[in-house]
Amino acid sequence: MQQPPGSGARKAPEEDDDGGGGKWSVDGDAASENPYAELVTRLRATWLSGKTRPMEFRVAQLEALGRFLDEKKQEILEATALDMGKPRFEAEFSEILLCKNELHETLNNLSHWMKDEHVVKNTATRLDSAFIRKDPYGVVLIIAPWNYPINLVLVPLIGAIAAGNCVIVKPSEMTKNSERLVAEALPSYLDKDCFAVVTAGVQETTRLLENKFDYIFYTGSPSVGRIVMMAAAKHLTPVTLELGGKNPCYVSDTCDVQIVAQRVAWGRFFNAGQTCIAPDYVLCSTEMQEKLLVALSKVVNDFYGSNPQESPNFGRIMGDKQFRRLQELLCSGQVVIGGETDEAQRYVAPTVLVDVEPSDPIMQEEIFGPILPIITVANVDEAIDFINSRERPLVVYAFSSNSKVVNQVLERTSSGGFCGNDTLMHVTLTSLPFGGIGSSGLGMYHGKFTFDTFSHHRGCLHRNMGLEVFNALRYPPYSQQKLGMVRAASEVKRKGACTLL
């Protein structure tokens, strides 16, 4: 665990809607010595030494992460339960199983991913070697949120290690038990010359961002994402921003209502709704709304019993400020399912709202809680127009027994990802890229996409020192004859054009 010298107790940050931190700024006291400068310098020296580059080193560190997940499994379950009442099933699935999937996918394929990628050559370079080298960036910073405090630390870390980088990890200070576990246990599994965990509040993280990193990976809110991007811009540092958004869920009139209710309720109420890819609101016809309300009421009872507050399968809201914010959002529309709250336990019942207006407060921000508004639309065209009138979301969901309707929503909307006839499950595939677009994020990861994100794709040409007579064609004095021969050797010609009938 790394802390700034003399930092003392950290100021409690103002909570952000989706775990990104509090009110940051990019202004620091430039005249004072940065408390993290020595750490960054030390890691950069290690990276420059080449220690992280061999595949054997990367594999050893990745296998150590696997041991961390195995040996600290019980501590992970306990920490996430203490922080936010996360049910054991949900914690094992989201914090451990999905991390192991990423780890095994990476270990299974790393030797292939690391290989130089040879590319097509023209006549002029036929005897040369042209390839893409996957270079590590150097020293990278990973800033994780609180809603999945283990997963959203380890998944990007797996890719950063696999790509050969040195890494500083900053877990969320909001989930204190998970932060303590990561800070105290994780460094004992990894090479301390190459990897560090920094515990920091808002003020310290602001100072941390003043340092020059070679890549920054941030997961959290759009507002803090802008601040991170501004800090990175001072050093021209590339970034990945995994942000949030109001994810629409269109339900057509042609579908099995009970199945839809089960899949939507699971996606909305998993982790007590504190999931960036949760369906944020439903769009459906008035007729479908009536059927869906009956089905959702039954599903909530089936999932959590008549009193979800007593259910071991339903979590709690992470912090007091987040709880109060959700209480205020319950004033939008009309509560038809749930609506009960308990401030002492930070409990918000699985809730469904109707008669919600697009201008209501609950439709102005990501909910990040177990509340599902329903907005009625006349048809799929009106639903698509509604989606397209708002910021592009992290994911669009569409339910219909008619695949043409699902494809229509896919083709006519834009979002980071898409999932038809289910929720959340697209994120379980390491073969799919995960990331946002527009205000929902920048860049992508998961599986090979994480390795690629943390790798600089370096275009390389290694030429033969002989055959200079052919190279002489490009040297002055120039002539039309030389230009013709150079063109013949290097020109890319268009293949036969397709004529549209």
Side-chain angles (χ1 to χ4, degrees):
M1 177 173 66
Q2 301 285 337
Q3 289 181 307
S7 63
R10 293 174 298 169
K11 180 181 177 182
E14 296 190 34
E15 294 166 15
D16 205 65
D17 287 354
D18 59 356
K23 294 182 178 179
W24 300 1
S25 71
V26 295
D27 297 321
D29 184 1
S32 62
E33 182 181 354
N34 189 285
Y36 301 101
E38 183 180 349
L39 174 63
V40 175
T41 299
R42 176 166 62 81
L43 264 61
R44 178 160 286 110
T46 301
W47 179 74
L48 289 171
S49 75
K51 184 175 183 178
T52 61
R53 287 181 177 265
M55 188 182 75
E56 294 76 14
F57 176 84
R58 306 182 197 190
V59 168
Q61 299 302 301
L62 292 171
E63 289 177 339
L65 285 182
R67 291 195 298 275
F68 168 78
L69 285 169
D70 288 337
E71 295 171 8
K72 299 300 179 182
K73 175 180 175 178
Q74 188 58 36
E75 287 93 327
I76 290 171
L77 298 177
E78 290 172 359
T80 54
L82 286 170
D83 285 330
M84 50 203 310
K86 188 170 291 195
R88 182 186 178 96
F89 179 97
E90 294 185 0
E92 281 209 42
F93 178 68
S94 62
E95 307 284 12
I96 296 174
L97 175 61
L98 293 185
C99 287
K100 282 194 170 184
N101 287 350
E102 292 284 339
L103 186 61
H104 295 161
E105 174 76 7
T106 301
L107 286 168
N108 290 342
N109 295 282
L110 183 57
S111 61
H112 174 67
W113 294 348
M114 286 179 62
K115 287 180 180 177
D116 291 341
E117 184 179 334
H118 290 271
V119 299
V120 175
K121 297 172 288 187
N122 55 27
T123 303
T125 57
R126 185 69 63 193
L127 301 178
D128 305 319
S129 179
F131 56 93
I132 300 169
R133 170 68 52 88
K134 285 60 173 287
D135 271 353
Y137 273 102
V139 180
V140 306
L141 172 63
I142 295 172
I143 303 176
W146 52 260
N147 58 327
Y148 292 93
I150 305 299
N151 180 300
L152 296 177
V153 164
L154 292 191
V155 173
L157 178 59
I158 288 166
I161 292 174
N165 298 282
C166 288
V167 188
I168 294 177
V169 170
K170 210 294 286 184
S172 175
E173 70 277 16
M174 307 290 191
T175 42
K176 297 191 179 301
N177 295 284
S178 299
E179 179 198 41
R180 185 181 304 114
L181 174 62
V182 170
E184 294 179 357
L186 189 60
S188 65
Y189 287 85
L190 299 175
D191 190 307
K192 292 179 175 59
D193 291 331
C194 307
F195 310 104
V197 177
V198 166
T199 56
V202 173
Q203 294 176 348
E204 296 90 353
T205 304
T206 300
R207 299 305 308 276
L208 179 63
L209 282 166
E210 292 170 8
N211 292 277
K212 175 178 170 55
F213 291 95
D214 302 299
Y215 203 97
I216 297 176
F217 189 104
Y218 168 78
T219 305
S221 71
S223 59
V224 178
R226 292 184 181 93
I227 293 169
V228 171
M229 200 168 187
M230 288 174 63
K234 290 188 175 182
H235 301 289
L236 296 179
T237 298
V239 298
T240 288
L241 303 176
E242 294 296 336
L243 311 177
K246 295 192 69 63
N247 307 311
C249 179
Y250 173 67
V251 180
S252 79
D253 288 337
T254 57
C255 58
D256 186 315
V257 179
Q258 193 61 36
I259 290 176
V260 172
Q262 290 174 169
R263 297 181 183 184
V264 170
W266 180 71
R268 175 69 272 183
F269 303 135
F270 189 95
N271 200 34
Q274 298 163 117
T275 304
C276 62
I277 55 169
D280 207 78
Y281 61 94
V282 167
L283 296 168
C284 66
S285 68
T286 303
E287 295 75 17
M288 175 51 66
Q289 175 180 274
E290 294 178 6
K291 299 175 185 176
L292 199 54
L293 289 175
V294 174
L296 283 169
S297 180
K298 180 180 185 303
V299 166
V300 169
N301 187 74
D302 291 344
F303 282 6
Y304 309 113
S306 58
N307 184 3
Q309 188 170 0
E310 298 177 352
S311 172
N313 302 308
F314 188 71
R316 296 296 183 265
I317 304 307
M318 186 278 301
D320 294 333
K321 183 175 181 180
Q322 174 76 348
F323 172 84
R324 291 191 294 270
R325 187 184 68 83
L326 291 171
Q327 271 192 318
E328 294 173 2
L329 293 182
L330 286 172
C331 296
S332 299
Q334 175 187 348
V335 174
V336 289
I337 297 173
E340 299 85 5
T341 64
D342 183 336
E343 186 169 6
Q345 290 193 17
R346 297 197 303 270
Y347 166 78
V348 176
T351 299
V352 179
L353 305 177
V354 298
D355 299 332
V356 174
E357 297 294 330
S359 58
D360 285 343
I362 200 164
M363 293 302 295
Q364 305 310 307
E365 58 184 271
E366 185 178 5
I367 298 169
F368 229 65
I371 307 171
L372 182 67
I374 300 178
I375 293 180
T376 57
V377 291
N379 48 46
V380 65
D381 291 318
E382 187 174 320
I384 290 170
D385 289 343
F386 185 91
I387 295 168
N388 289 338
S389 69
R390 306 171 77 85
E391 293 284 358
R392 287 184 282 184
L394 189 55
V395 57
V396 166
Y397 296 109
F399 284 84
S400 179
S401 299
N402 186 343
S403 60
K404 290 183 179 179
V405 174
V406 174
N407 287 330
Q408 190 177 1
V409 177
L410 170 61
E411 291 169 3
R412 291 175 56 192
T413 60
S414 176
S415 60
F418 178 87
C419 186
N421 291 332
D422 209 343
T423 61
L424 308 190
M425 288 303 293
H426 62 295
V427 81
T428 67
L429 293 178
T430 58
S431 53
L432 286 178
F434 177 82
I437 184 172
S439 65
S440 61
L442 174 67
M444 57 187 176
Y445 73 125
H446 286 189
K448 185 177 184 293
F449 302 100
T450 319
F451 174 85
D452 288 339
T453 284
F454 287 105
S455 299
H456 168 57
H457 286 55
R458 189 178 185 185
C460 303
L461 176 64
H462 187 180
R463 301 218 66 198
N464 192 307
M465 279 293 288
L467 305 173
E468 187 65 3
V469 63
F470 295 109
N471 292 316
L473 295 173
R474 70 176 194 257
Y475 301 150
Y478 301 130
S479 69
Q480 281 300 117
Q481 183 183 18
K482 284 185 175 182
L483 179 59
M485 297 178 74
V486 168
R487 180 186 292 119
S490 57
E491 185 177 27
V492 176
K493 294 183 179 180
R494 185 180 178 187
K495 295 181 180 179
C498 175
T499 303
L500 297 177
L501 300 178

